[in-house]
């Protein structure tokens, strides 16, 4: 039986509406207005929404059409990922002034293990406050944070006082916090799983805790064991500074559906160029090429081929993608194509983490 580890100090920092906030920072005319970063209202998908837009139900992953319907005053802004990466690098540098144990989850969020830290500060709560203040002063954006004994609780806590706030769950508060937590707020429990849990009479952490390991595994498979442990405060995954990407990809959603393979090949050439640029920027190559196809009815299909050697050149990637495209007949017109490269030549480095016990 695993045991709860109480002597770690983990911070989860999450930028507030990151892409949208960067756009509002760079363009004062957008400040205070509902904006959506994404491809527009015709065929695009919202990548991020400002808090002004969220009040109208605009959120990431919904269609631009629905977003505009919910908020007629919505302003669409094309994403500028190079700018977001530039800002993210500045934020990451601030994190590393406090600890080298930083695990980025994306451009706008990361875990920090400050059990031992470069400032010699025994308070993770005060460190989180200082980091958030520095991000605001040096970058111009607000961030929220969650602080607790493990990554799971820190992640959940960072969402409690958004935007521009933080929440600490001390070791002696963990079990009560988890028991009172609505099941929909458990990180890793999506809408489908939430509905399933509701049908099983699980509405809070307390309800979840009353279920046996056998019951949860029966209904949720491997995830059942995860739920069983996290509700008891057990999540011993270490902060991993060297998160290794499993694949690198690029994709494009078209303004009009494509029904001809010839037109698809033209688009795949552009996608391959983008993918090659990303691979070379990071010095990455891979063996497995995967072609992603999304049809007009939104069904999705992937086709893969593994090479006997590593590749990163666009012409070789495109050659394999072409073979996969013609592998079988298209079942419908196509709205999205993507190419990714997996089985990468990256090596996982072992990180030795020394844990010491301090007052929270």
């Amino acid at each position: 039986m695993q045991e709860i580890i109480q002597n770690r100090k983990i911070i989860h920092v999450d930028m507030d509406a990151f892409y949208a906030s960067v756009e509002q920072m760079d363009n004062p005319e957008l400040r205070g207005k509902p904006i959506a970063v994404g491809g527009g209202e015709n065929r695009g998908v919202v990548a991020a929404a400002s808090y002004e837009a969220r009040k109208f139900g605009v959120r990431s992953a919904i269609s631009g059409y629905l977003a505009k319907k919910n908020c007629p005053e919505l302003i669409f802004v094309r994403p500028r990922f190079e700018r977001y990466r530039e800002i993210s690098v500045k934020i990451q540098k601030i994190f590393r002034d406090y600890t080298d144990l930083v695990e980025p989850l994306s451009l706008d969020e990361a875990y920090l293990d400050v059990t031992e830290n470069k400032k010699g500060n025994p308070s993770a709560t005060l460190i989180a406050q200082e980091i958030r203040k520095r991000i605001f002063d040096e970058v111009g954006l607000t961030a929220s944070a969650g602080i607790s004994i493990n990554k799971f609780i820190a992640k959940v806590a960072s969402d409690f006082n958004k935007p521009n706030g933080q929440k600490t769950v001390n070791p002696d508060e963990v079990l009560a916090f988890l028991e009172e937590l609505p099941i929909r707020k458990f990180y890793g429990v999506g809408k489908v799983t939430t509905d399933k849990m509701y049908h099983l009479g699980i509405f809070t952490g307390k309800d979840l805790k009353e279920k046996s390991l056998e019951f949860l595994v029966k209904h949720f498979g491997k995830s059942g064991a995860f739920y069983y442990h996290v509700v008891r405060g057990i999540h011993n995954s270490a902060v991993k500074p060297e998160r290794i990407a499993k694949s690198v990809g690029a994709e494009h959603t078209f303004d009009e559906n494509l029904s001809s393979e010839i037109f698809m090949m033209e688009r795949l050439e552009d996608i391959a160029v983008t993918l090659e640029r990303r691979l070379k920027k990071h010095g990455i190559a891979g063996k497995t090429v995967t072609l992603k196809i999304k049809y007009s009815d939104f069904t999705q299909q992937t086709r893969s081929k593994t090479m006997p050697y590593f590749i990163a050149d666009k012409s070789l990637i495109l050659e394999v993608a072409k073979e996969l495209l013609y592998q079988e007949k298209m079942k419908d017109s196509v709205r999205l194509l993507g190419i990714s490269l997996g089985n990468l030549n990256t090596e996982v480095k072992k990180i030795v983490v020394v844990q010491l016990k301090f007052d929270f």
Side-chain angles (χ1 to χ4, degrees):
M1 176 68 181
Q2 298 183 54
E3 295 182 355
I4 184 171
I5 297 177
Q6 297 193 353
N7 61 355
R8 290 189 300 173
K9 299 180 181 186
I10 311 298
I11 301 172
H12 177 256
V13 180
D14 192 9
M15 300 302 297
D16 298 323
F18 182 56
Y19 296 167
S21 295
V22 171
E23 298 300 337
Q24 289 178 320
M25 177 179 68
D26 288 352
N27 186 353
E29 293 183 0
L30 296 177
R31 294 176 189 172
K33 296 180 180 178
I35 73 167
V37 177
E41 58 184 293
N42 292 327
R43 298 296 299 274
V45 175
V46 174
S50 67
Y51 282 98
E52 295 85 356
R54 294 183 187 188
K55 295 176 182 177
F56 296 90
V58 179
R59 62 186 186 278
S60 61
I62 70 170
S63 69
Y65 172 79
L66 180 59
K68 190 70 172 179
K69 183 179 178 181
N70 290 346
C71 180
E73 303 301 317
L74 188 66
I75 301 170
F76 287 99
V77 181
R78 297 292 294 182
R80 298 179 298 147
F81 290 106
E82 288 304 316
R83 175 59 172 159
Y84 308 148
R85 291 189 191 96
E86 177 188 343
I87 297 293
S88 181
V89 168
K90 293 180 180 179
I91 296 168
Q92 298 288 331
K93 285 181 178 178
I94 293 175
F95 293 160
R96 288 180 171 80
D97 282 346
Y98 297 84
T99 177
D100 290 326
L101 297 180
V102 177
E103 180 181 344
L105 299 178
S106 59
L107 294 178
D108 62 341
E109 61 176 318
Y111 292 115
L112 290 73
D113 187 329
V114 296
T115 312
E116 279 191 286
N117 60 83
K118 297 176 182 180
K119 304 294 183 180
N121 189 338
S123 173
T125 299
L126 293 179
I127 290 175
Q129 288 177 349
E130 189 174 317
I131 287 173
R132 291 175 48 243
K133 184 178 187 302
R134 283 191 58 188
I135 292 173
F136 183 76
D137 292 343
E138 299 173 26
V139 180
L141 299 172
T142 63
S144 297
I147 307 98
S148 196
I149 62 172
N150 63 43
K151 289 159 66 174
F152 176 82
I153 303 170
K155 171 81 171 176
V156 172
S158 67
D159 196 46
F160 260 66
N161 293 317
K162 269 187 165 290
N164 196 25
Q166 66 180 60
K167 180 176 178 61
T168 298
V169 182
N170 291 298
D172 59 351
E173 300 170 335
V174 165
L175 295 180
F177 172 79
L178 291 170
E179 285 187 359
E180 295 172 4
L181 194 67
I183 204 66
R184 60 185 172 78
K185 287 187 174 291
F186 272 66
Y187 176 56
V189 177
K191 186 180 184 304
V192 173
T193 304
T194 297
D195 291 341
K196 185 173 181 179
M197 286 195 175
Y198 285 173
H199 281 103
L200 294 170
I202 303 171
F203 299 95
T204 66
K206 186 175 184 297
D207 297 329
L208 179 62
K209 197 173 182 178
E210 291 173 351
K211 302 300 181 183
S212 68
L213 176 60
E214 292 74 18
F215 177 89
L216 293 174
V217 170
K218 176 184 175 182
H219 289 281
F220 301 100
K222 291 182 179 179
S223 296
F226 170 77
Y227 303 142
Y228 179 85
H229 288 111
V230 294
V231 77
R232 289 165 171 77
I234 301 169
H235 186 242
N236 298 335
S237 173
V239 172
K240 304 177 182 67
E242 301 294 326
R243 292 184 83 244
I244 305 300
K246 294 183 178 180
S247 65
V248 179
E251 61 184 42
H252 185 72
T253 301
F254 311 116
D255 292 331
E256 295 182 2
N257 293 339
L258 303 180
S259 55
S260 166
E261 277 106 343
I262 295 175
F263 291 139
M264 293 179 201
M265 277 305 305
E266 292 177 357
R267 302 302 188 275
L268 283 175
E269 288 182 19
D270 295 334
I271 295 170
V273 169
T274 301
L275 178 55
E276 180 192 55
R277 184 170 65 247
R278 293 176 181 174
L279 291 166
K280 291 188 174 180
K281 179 179 179 180
H282 298 286
I284 294 175
K287 291 184 177 180
T288 302
V289 178
T290 299
L291 176 67
K292 176 181 175 181
I293 305 167
K294 184 177 286 187
Y295 294 101
S296 55
D297 63 358
F298 287 86
T299 58
Q300 186 171 299
Q301 185 182 64
T302 57
R303 307 171 181 178
S304 299
K305 179 179 180 179
T306 298
M307 307 292 286
Y309 46 82
F310 290 105
I311 62 173
D313 182 81
K314 62 178 181 294
S315 60
L316 292 175
I317 294 171
L318 188 61
E319 183 180 324
V320 179
K322 180 179 180 180
E323 180 183 335
L324 294 171
L325 182 69
Y326 289 105
Q327 182 175 293
E328 58 183 275
K329 187 177 179 181
M330 297 289 158
K331 68 172 191 175
D332 202 345
S333 58
V334 172
R335 75 185 311 269
L336 176 148
L337 286 172
I339 308 173
S340 63
L341 196 61
N343 200 0
L344 305 178
N345 62 343
T346 49
E347 295 183 0
V348 178
K349 299 177 182 178
K350 293 183 179 179
I351 307 298
V352 178
V353 181
V354 179
Q355 302 288 6
L356 298 179
K357 187 170 184 177
F358 294 113
D359 292 334
F360 233 75

